[in-house]
Amino acid sequence: MKIAILPGDGIGPEIMAEALKVLDALRRNGLKVETESALVGGAAYDAFGHPLPAATLKLAQDADAVLFGSVGSPKHDALPREHRPEKAILGLRKECDFFANLRPATVFPELADASTLRSEVVAGLDLMIIRELTGDIYFGEPRGVSGEKGARIGVNTMHYTEAQIRRIVHVGFRTAQQRNKRLCSIDKMNVLEAMQLWRDIAIEIVPEYPDVELSHMLVDNAAMQLIRNPKQFDVMVAGNMFGDILSDEASMLTGSIGMLPSASLDANGKGLYEPIHGSAPDIAGRGIANPLAQILSLGMMLRYTFNLGEWADRVEGAVKKTLAQGIRTADIAKPGETVATTAQMGAAVVSNL
Ligand code: IPM
Ligand code: MG
């Protein structure tokens, strides 16, 4: 098994270092994996003039799985769009056909009071958002800005084929089958034709999963319901842009965006695993970032790509134990609590493995 390690920018390298300590500890216990690292994002642009150099893409394509940190930095925001760090993650998703993005939002009991919502609203929350990653307005044509200054027109296109909708809705149904058997499909069919197609396809698939209960919700209502009563949801399936927005919203139900891992899978279970948070340039280089989302991303990799559920349980168990011991990075600490550094949090997880 070979893992491509792409730390990226900002806090990416700091939190990746902690995930690699966890991986080393698992290797000492007999896990057989090889790793190879490469630059990606702004770091790759600085070194090679491109956020996703050919060698980095090839490493990702040849590996069995990719562990990704985060990309993006203010210093690269002014570059032409095709050289911006974000292009790296979008390119990896597209080139490797990582179309199915699994974004769990689970509330660790120890952290129920870290949410900005009342703890009874979020305690026990266990939600899975399935987001489509290779279609929609992110990649639709035509796109661009044209015309003379003063009369310019900006265009992006929501674009979905039946096949794209069908394969992600299937992932939604299969995920619901393994959980509480309720799937909520998110669309905006009251306004958008592409989203009417989304709903029609979802309804077509229902007979194939008699054990799953399918419901539909317009995205604006879903955004409201996530705050009002998030525990009504089991699995949500959404297109690329709506899933992007709803998954950020859902992450905050859990108290910190620094806690949540994600998996982006192709049709064969190969995947890219990354924290759902970004590169957090405001705290980069200070050793205070929360490495748990990166560590839990490694856990998801063991579970979903390598089918090593017991090893994944060990990683998740070590994270839970560390939280139960009261160890907190700044983002999840209460006022007055002792704050652990990134490295201290990583070391605590390793010792709890
Ligand atoms: C995410 C991020 C990315 C996205 C950005 C960095 C391109 O927000 O993974 O959710 O919009 O998909
Ligand atoms: Mg996002």
Side-chain angles (χ1 to χ4, degrees), residues 6-16 40-43 68-77 84-89 93 103 248 257-258 260 274-290 293-294 342:
L6 308 182
D9 306 320
I11 60 171
E14 298 166 48
I15 58 177
M16 184 66 84
V40 73
F68 191 92
S70 52
V71 291
S73 78
K75 122 171 188 232
H76 297 97
D77 277 350
R84 287 194 203 156
E86 290 75 12
K87 199 70 193 170
I89 184 66
R93 290 170 182 170
R103 296 194 164 186
D248 262 34
I257 197 168
L260 296 183
E274 59 174 324
I276 91 151
H277 61 70
S279 54
D282 52 326
I283 59 163
R286 292 167 54 196
I288 60 170
N290 184 345
Q294 188 76 67
T342 309

Side-chain angles (χ1 to χ4, degrees), residues 3-4 19 60 93 104 123 149-150 191 232 246 265 306-307 315 318 326 332 343:
I3 307 176
R93 290 170 182 170
K149 195 153 190 216
V191 181
Q232 69 185 284
L246 292 181
L265 304 175
F306 297 131
N307 288 315
V315 173
I332 51 176

Side-chain angles (χ1 to χ4, degrees), residues 103 131 138 244 247-248 276:
R103 296 194 164 186
R131 169 188 174 198
Y138 273 58
D244 178 44
S247 61
D248 262 34
I276 91 151

Side-chain angles (χ1 to χ4, degrees), residues 25-96:
L26 296 177
R27 280 167 158 162
R28 287 196 296 276
N29 281 275
L31 181 72
K32 297 255 176 304
V33 286
E34 273 175 52
T35 58
E36 191 176 333
S37 303
L39 295 177
V40 73
Y45 178 81
D46 291 344
F48 305 114
H50 197 283
L52 182 57
T56 301
L57 177 59
K58 180 151 193 325
L59 175 66
Q61 284 169 327
D62 292 347
D64 300 297
V66 180
L67 192 61
F68 191 92
S70 52
V71 291
S73 78
K75 122 171 188 232
H76 297 97
D77 277 350
L79 288 171
R81 194 160 290 279
E82 67 273 18
H83 284 149
R84 287 194 203 156
E86 290 75 12
K87 199 70 193 170
I89 184 66
L90 296 173
L92 280 166
R93 290 170 182 170
K94 194 71 181 173
E95 294 297 327
C96 301

